Amino acid sequence: QVQLVESGGGLVEAGGSLRLACAASDTIYNINAMRWYRQAAGKQRDLVALITSTGSTTYADSVKGRFTISRGIAKNLMFLQMTNLKPEDTGVYYCNVDGWPLLGPMSSYWGQGTQVTVSS
């Protein structure tokens, strides 16, 4: 069962903008922190931005001032507004959330990723 779905990736020229979205299924309860990770080809998966249930945000130094993470009015939605994109922003972007299943302990859930490619 797919529990996190990302959308909004694509190909954009340097300096352009994209908006990513992540939707969590209603089988994940009491979602706490939500995060965006990025993985470039041949590299490790790195944290890009985080937003807590209270709205506090944290950004990787490389995206500060260019990316904005937010949560929707519906608490199962998360967005990443990316502006002034650079070729080094290229990679697969993954949504990650902490939440609870109907039964069992808190779990960390991952989406399948959406490709972002920035051309120079």
Side-chain angles (χ1 to χ4, degrees), residues 1-4 6 22 24-25 27-31 33-35 37 45 94-112:
Q1 180 181 7
V2 178
Q3 295 180 295
L4 290 179
E6 301 105 333
C22 172
S25 79
T27 61
I28 304 174
Y29 299 88
N30 297 325
I31 292 175
M34 303 181 81
R35 307 172 187 87
Y37 282 81
R45 191 174 297 185
Y94 295 91
C95 172
N96 167 251
V97 306
D98 296 335
W100 276 261
L102 182 59
L103 296 173
M106 188 180 77
S107 299
S108 183
Y109 299 84
W110 289 90
Q112 294 185 321

Side-chain angles (χ1 to χ4, degrees):
Q1 180 181 7
V2 178
Q3 295 180 295
L4 290 179
V5 177
E6 301 105 333
S7 61
L11 173 64
V12 65
E13 292 184 350
S17 299
L18 284 173
R19 187 180 191 230
L20 305 183
C22 172
S25 79
D26 56 7
T27 61
I28 304 174
Y29 299 88
N30 297 325
I31 292 175
N32 194 351
M34 303 181 81
R35 307 172 187 87
W36 287 101
Y37 282 81
R38 173 173 73 199
Q39 187 167 23
K43 296 189 177 181
Q44 67 181 18
R45 191 174 297 185
D46 292 325
L47 179 66
V48 173
L50 173 152
I51 186 165
T52 68
S53 58
T54 59
S56 296
T57 58
T58 303
Y59 297 93
D61 287 342
S62 61
V63 306
K64 283 181 181 176
R66 299 188 298 121
F67 290 11
T68 302
I69 189 171
S70 62
R71 296 177 74 149
I73 294 175
K75 296 302 182 183
N76 66 326
L77 292 175
M78 175 176 65
F79 305 97
L80 186 68
Q81 179 67 47
M82 305 185 293
T83 62
N84 190 21
L85 283 160
K86 303 176 181 181
E88 51 264 42
D89 294 319
T90 295
V92 179
Y93 284 69
Y94 295 91
C95 172
N96 167 251
V97 306
D98 296 335
W100 276 261
L102 182 59
L103 296 173
M106 188 180 77
S107 299
S108 183
Y109 299 84
W110 289 90
Q112 294 185 321
T114 184
Q115 176 71 43
V116 171
T117 303
V118 184
S119 63
S120 58

